[in-house]
């Protein structure tokens, strides 16, 4: 097989790598992308997209099941609906297929060469790739490592049998009767909630004292209330110990140190993700590390000249849109443009019920950084649109600098609030002040009016409360 020489080699075609490769190709850079599994990476194949598809299907089913219970405030009733997870998975796979096919077409349109196989470093500018037809050597002037991340395995609960990761959970074709979720981070809660809505009896085990421990208690309270209403058992301060001998349950050490057994058909371990740094001879290039992650500077440059790293392999927040933004930046740097990481805000969303959005600094984080702030929140129970949607739990909260009211953060929790994340980020990224938001006309009746009211309330001038 003839060696390939190129100007830019991208290893991994997740949202970091494929965006980098497309932009590089558009900029006229001779680019090769290597992908061992499927174009689109974790995000399109076993992450963001399939999980949101499943959450949507579960929401739809829960809605009609609620109508069937005869308890609908809208006056809608119907007879018992049925849920066919196998069919849902086929539909989800169709959505994934359309998106990954789109990535392939976009890469080709940008004249990017795609090599399928597992890449290993020979030196900082050379890899060999195990392809189906033999070993392909690729030499590049510059290399981007975009190998992503993998689910963390618990030593006492290795994946296999009833113990599954999010990847297997997103491929189940039957709803487990009893599901235990280990880890109450966003992935565990999103999937746990979806399966509960599909009819599974769900228990969530979390070692820390509360769910979604990376967010403040105020933001996560409505989610905890909804989990209770859905009949999900949440054990916080509890540790998953081991499978029962018959592999039909999980032994858990509760916060009072008592060991209990929770019967389960499936145990979803969602305790985090670790950077994918194994199996591609990272040792051959001996890069500086930042803990388990590849250390990068504000241009995503590693400690080796001409070698960049982007996305989950470079650390938190491990989010698709951060990976893509880094990828786009690196492509432009390789093309000779002056770029550096200057983003103020990387929004994060939990697609729980209700959804949680965190953009910029929370009050806690701002105070920890010794910034004097003003902060206040507007509840959706005072928002007309939320009432018409029969989901008025939650609020929007503003965090601004006390002296000049520059917005430092906007957070919220509420049904459908994920779509407001763009407005939150835009305001922060553009350096808006509370007065700028308060001086903007928000269309009525929308949930986004909560953003206007939150700004007004933080200024001490609320209208609707
Ligand atoms: C269930 C779940 C839900 C999620 N939901 C969201 C969400 O709602 N929003 C959000 O922003 N993020 C979400 N994420 C996280 C998101 O998927 C990741 O942050 C994102 O995919 C990271 O992109 P990446 O390009 O860094 O890596 P990845 O998407 O992990 O892609 C890396 C690619 O590199 C390939 N690769 C690795 N090593 C090699 C090698 N040696 N040779 C060739 N190819 C290689 C892999 O096969 C993989 O395809 C979710 C994740 C999961 C698991």
């Amino acid at each position: 097989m003839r060696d390939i020489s190129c100007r830019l080699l991208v290893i991994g075609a997740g949202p970091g790598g494929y965006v980098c490769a497309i932009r590089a190709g558009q900029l006229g850079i001779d680019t090769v992308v290597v992908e061992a599994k499927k174009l689109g990476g974790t995000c399109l194949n076993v992450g963001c997209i399939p999980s949101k598809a499943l959450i949507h299907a579960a929401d739809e089913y829960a809605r009609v099941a609620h109508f069937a219970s005869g308890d609908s405030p809208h006056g809608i009733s119907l007879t018992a609906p049925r849920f066919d997870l196998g069919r849902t998975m086929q539909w989800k796979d169709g959505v994934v297929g359309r998106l990954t096919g789109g990535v392939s077409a976009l890469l080709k349109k940008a004249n990017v060469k795609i090599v399928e196989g597992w890449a290993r470093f020979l030196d900082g500018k050379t890899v060999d790739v195990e392809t189906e037809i033999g070993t392909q050597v690729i030499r590049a002037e510059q290399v981007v490592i975009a190998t992503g991340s993998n689910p963390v395995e618990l030593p006492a609960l290795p994946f296999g049998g009833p113990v599954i990761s999010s990847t297997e959970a997103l491929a189940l074709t039957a709803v487990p009767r009893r599901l235990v979720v280990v880890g109450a981070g966003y992935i565990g809660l999103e999937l746990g909630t979806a399966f509960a809505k599909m009819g599974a009896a769900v228990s969530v085990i979390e070692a820390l004292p509360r769910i979604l421990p990376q967010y403040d208690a105020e933001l996560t309270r409505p989610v905890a209330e909804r989990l209770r209403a859905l009949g999900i058992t949440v054990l916080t301060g509890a540790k998953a110990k081991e499978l029962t001998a018959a592999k039909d349950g999980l032994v858990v050490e509760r916060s009072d140190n008592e060991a209990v057994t929770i019967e389960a058909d499936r145990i979803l371990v969602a305790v985090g993700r670790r950077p994918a740094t194994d199996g591609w001879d990272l040792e051959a290039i001996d890069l500086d590390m930042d803990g388990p992650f590849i250390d990068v500077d504000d241009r995503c440059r590693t400690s080796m000249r001409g070698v960049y790293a982007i996305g989950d392999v470079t650390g938190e927040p491990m989010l698709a849109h951060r990976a893509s933004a880094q990828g786009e930046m690196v492509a432009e740097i390789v093309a000779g443009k002056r770029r550096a990481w200057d983003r103020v805000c990387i929004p994060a969303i939990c697609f729980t019920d209700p959804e949680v959005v965190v953009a910029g600094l929370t009050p806690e984080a701002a105070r920890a950084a010794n910034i004097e702030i003003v902060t206040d929140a507007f509840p959706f129970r005072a928002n007309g649109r939320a009432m018409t949607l029969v989901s008025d739990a939650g609020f929007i909260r503003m965090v601004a600098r006390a002296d000049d009211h520059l917005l430092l953060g906007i957070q919220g929790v509420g049904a459908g609030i994920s779509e407001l994340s763009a407005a939150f980020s835009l305001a922060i990224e553009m350096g808006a002040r509370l007065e700028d938001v308060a001086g903007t006309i928000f269309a009525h009746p929308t949930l986004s009016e909560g953003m206007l009211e939150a700004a007004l309330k933080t200024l001490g001038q609320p209208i609707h409360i």
Side-chain angles (χ1 to χ4, degrees):
M1 203 182 273
R2 271 237 303 266
D3 293 0
I4 296 174
S5 290
C6 60
R7 204 167 136 207
L8 181 66
L9 167 65
V10 181
I11 302 173
Y18 85 71
V19 167
C20 181
I22 290 173
R23 173 61 96 232
Q26 288 169 342
L27 291 168
I29 298 169
D30 166 27
T31 304
V32 175
V33 65
V34 184
E35 172 53 57
K37 293 181 190 158
K38 289 182 179 159
L39 296 177
T42 304
C43 170
L44 296 195
N45 294 288
V46 291
C48 322
I49 295 297
S51 61
K52 271 78 239 183
L54 206 63
I55 289 166
H56 176 69
D59 280 347
E60 294 285 80
Y61 177 62
R63 200 187 316 275
V64 291
H66 181 59
F67 293 158
S69 72
D71 191 23
S72 155
H74 310 93
I76 302 171
S77 63
L78 42 76
T79 46
R82 284 182 30 244
F83 189 77
D84 178 349
L85 184 58
R87 187 84 190 271
T88 301
M89 288 296 175
Q90 279 173 14
W91 162 75
K92 178 266 291 178
D93 291 342
V95 173
V96 169
R98 274 172 59 196
L99 286 167
T100 53
V103 169
S104 170
L106 290 168
L107 285 166
K108 284 176 192 148
K109 190 170 151 209
N111 293 319
V112 175
K113 182 170 178 55
I114 303 166
V115 175
E116 291 171 20
W118 182 260
R120 280 174 201 276
F121 276 96
L122 299 176
D123 63 47
K125 301 291 151 54
T126 318
V127 301
D128 67 21
V129 182
E130 286 310 321
T131 73
E132 276 189 353
I133 50 167
T135 303
Q136 172 71 69
V137 174
I138 306 175
R139 288 176 224 288
E141 288 169 29
Q142 317 219 42
V143 178
V144 177
I145 300 169
T147 50
S149 63
N150 293 308
V152 169
E153 197 170 41
L154 290 174
L157 277 178
F159 295 127
V163 184
I164 57 174
S165 74
S166 55
T167 302
E168 292 78 41
L170 289 167
L172 291 175
T173 47
V175 179
R177 201 160 59 79
R178 301 159 306 179
L179 173 72
V180 174
V181 179
V182 181
Y186 83 93
I187 293 177
L189 289 189
E190 286 183 6
L191 294 178
T193 303
F195 279 104
K197 288 179 179 173
M198 293 175 210
V202 176
S203 307
V204 178
I205 314 298
E206 168 58 50
L208 291 171
R210 56 187 180 77
I211 61 160
L212 296 172
Q214 68 274 45
Y215 301 120
D216 56 79
E218 223 180 317
L219 271 177
T220 54
R221 196 168 298 121
V223 180
E225 282 164 13
R226 182 72 176 128
L227 292 175
R228 256 194 304 278
L230 285 167
I232 297 175
T233 307
V234 180
L235 290 184
T236 51
K239 291 193 191 78
K241 298 306 266 186
E242 58 188 1
L243 266 183
T244 54
K247 297 190 189 314
D248 60 354
L250 181 69
V251 181
V252 175
E253 188 184 301
R254 285 196 324 213
S255 51
D256 58 5
N257 293 331
E258 195 174 319
V260 291
T261 297
I262 304 177
E263 292 179 349
D265 304 300
R266 299 281 181 173
I267 298 163
L268 165 60
V269 176
V271 293
R273 296 183 60 82
R274 60 180 181 79
T277 50
D278 292 337
W280 43 264
D281 294 347
L282 172 61
E283 313 76 44
I285 49 174
D286 193 27
L287 299 179
D288 285 357
M289 302 298 285
D290 175 10
F293 302 103
I294 297 177
D295 190 30
V296 289
D297 68 5
D298 64 349
R299 288 167 176 76
C300 288
R301 292 178 298 202
T302 68
S303 53
M304 182 177 274
R305 189 190 292 264
V307 178
Y308 299 81
I310 58 173
D312 285 8
V313 78
T314 63
E316 296 286 354
M318 289 201 224
L319 293 169
H321 39 283
R322 168 177 172 268
S324 297
Q326 288 179 321
E328 186 253 356
M329 176 186 78
V330 167
E332 299 211 336
I333 291 171
V334 171
K337 294 184 192 261
R338 285 172 63 86
R339 289 284 307 270
W341 188 260
D342 56 359
R343 312 295 168 96
V344 183
C345 171
I346 305 172
I349 302 173
C350 305
F351 289 82
T352 40
D353 182 2
E355 295 169 346
V356 179
V357 175
V358 176
L361 295 183
T362 60
E364 214 174 15
R367 288 187 190 112
N370 284 326
I371 305 172
E372 212 180 311
I373 56 164
V374 282
T375 180
D376 210 337
F378 181 80
F380 280 123
R381 68 182 147 71
N383 174 279
R385 182 62 178 146
M387 287 181 215
T388 65
L389 295 171
V390 203
S391 31
D392 59 0
F395 58 85
I396 295 179
R397 181 177 71 193
M398 299 267 159
V399 183
R401 225 158 40 191
D403 53 1
D404 59 3
H405 295 169
L406 178 79
L407 272 169
L408 302 173
I410 309 177
Q411 296 89 40
V413 51
I417 201 172
S418 55
E419 288 301 329
L420 295 190
S421 66
F424 296 178
S425 308
L426 196 64
I428 296 169
E429 199 67 50
M430 294 192 71
R433 298 181 315 130
L434 287 170
E435 287 80 354
D436 296 316
V437 178
T440 301
I441 296 177
F442 287 74
H444 178 75
T446 60
L447 296 176
S448 67
E449 287 171 287
M451 183 174 170
L452 168 67
E453 286 284 352
L456 287 169
K457 193 154 174 270
T458 312
L459 288 166
Q461 304 156 9
I463 302 281
H464 288 99
I465 197 158

